[in-house]
């Protein structure tokens, strides 16, 4: 091929490995652009066997792991994306901005209150019909081993379990909670 390549099984694990290996400090982070083939992916109108995924990871102190930090980080990333869109639209008049000026945040409880007769997935689809920019709020832990503890802790504070943590063959441990913003702040 003429260049070095690295085959990564999990972008999330690779980012954390790189942050540690290269000595990143709190407040610093990295950007990754991954191209992948997911040969076992079931394709549909949203999923393809080819993936071009960009992602970033930043080291934050434990005390910064708050709802407000999450909102602030998402707003910083969104602002950068919006400023890039505006710059390109000004430079090339055939491009028209489509993103809203601000990103919208909503909790699963707010979705349930707004669309009580719909399933969780149907609520998401109905809600985003009205928007052009939103962010889903998720818990973060350092390792997949901590998912069970964080899940139990959040349930003990009043969240409703939707999907208990399960460890996938590739090491990912997804879990879904239905909660209110106040529970995440406790």
């Amino acid at each position: 091929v003429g260049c070095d390549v690295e085959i990564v099984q999990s972008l999330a694990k690779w980012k954390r490995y790189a942050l540690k290996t290269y000595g990143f400090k709190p407040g610093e982070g990295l950007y990754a652009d991954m191209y992948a083939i997911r040969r076992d992916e079931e394709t549909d109108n949203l999923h393809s066997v080819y993936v071009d995924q960009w992602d970033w990871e930043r080291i934050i102190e434990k005390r910064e792991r708050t709802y407000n930090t999450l909102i602030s980080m998402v707003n910083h990333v969104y602002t950068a994306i919006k400023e890039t869109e505006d710059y390109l639209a000004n430079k090339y008049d055939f491009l028209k901005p489509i993103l809203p000026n601000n990103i919208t945040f909503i909790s699963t409880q707010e979705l349930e209150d707004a669309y009580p007769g719909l399933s969780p997935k149907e609520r998401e689809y109905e809600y985003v019909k009205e928007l052009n920019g939103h962010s889903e709020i998720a818990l973060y832990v350092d390792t997949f081993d901590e998912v069970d503890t964080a899940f139990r802790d959040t349930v003990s504070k009043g969240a409703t379990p939707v999907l208990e943590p399960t460890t996938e063959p590739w090491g990912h441990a997804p879990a879904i909670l239905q909660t209110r913003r106040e529970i995440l702040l406790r």
Side-chain angles (χ1 to χ4, degrees), residues 11-176:
L11 183 57
K13 287 180 183 179
W14 179 87
K15 288 182 302 181
R16 291 185 194 115
Y17 168 81
L19 288 170
K20 183 175 182 176
T21 300
Y22 300 114
F24 284 79
K25 305 285 184 248
E28 298 177 338
L30 58 78
Y31 162 90
D33 188 0
M34 177 188 79
Y35 306 102
I37 301 294
R38 294 188 174 149
R39 64 183 183 130
D40 297 324
E41 185 77 41
E42 288 189 35
T43 59
D44 59 24
N45 62 323
L46 298 176
H47 299 89
S48 168
V49 293
Y50 173 74
V51 178
D52 181 359
Q53 175 183 341
W54 67 269
D55 207 342
W56 66 279
E57 191 100 3
R58 178 179 170 169
I59 296 178
I60 62 173
E61 301 280 357
K62 190 165 188 137
R63 64 180 162 71
E64 294 177 294
R65 295 179 191 170
T66 66
Y67 179 81
N68 289 337
T69 299
L70 172 67
I71 299 302
S72 176
M73 289 294 106
V74 171
N75 277 319
H76 282 301
V77 170
Y78 188 79
T79 298
I81 293 169
K82 180 65 181 146
E83 287 174 357
T84 301
E85 178 192 53
D86 292 343
Y87 172 81
L88 291 171
N90 285 329
K91 187 167 176 84
Y92 303 102
D93 42 336
F94 63 90
L95 295 176
K96 304 294 178 221
I98 60 171
L99 296 174
N101 289 328
N102 299 302
I103 193 162
T104 303
F105 298 88
I106 191 164
S107 69
T108 53
Q109 185 62 54
E110 290 167 320
L111 281 173
E112 183 179 16
D113 293 347
Y115 308 102
L118 301 179
S119 72
K121 184 56 70 183
E122 290 169 329
R123 288 179 200 134
E124 288 180 19
Y125 285 136
E126 194 62 32
Y127 176 71
V128 298
K129 283 180 185 176
E130 304 165 18
L131 299 171
N132 197 16
H134 78 287
S135 177
E136 296 177 37
I137 299 171
L139 294 173
Y140 175 80
V141 293
D142 287 323
T143 66
F144 294 128
D145 295 337
E146 296 174 63
V147 171
D148 291 333
T149 304
F151 186 87
R152 282 191 307 273
D153 181 53
T154 308
V155 168
S156 75
K157 293 176 181 176
T160 304
V162 176
L163 172 68
E164 297 283 335
T166 56
T167 302
E168 300 295 339
W170 53 90
H172 185 63
I176 301 174

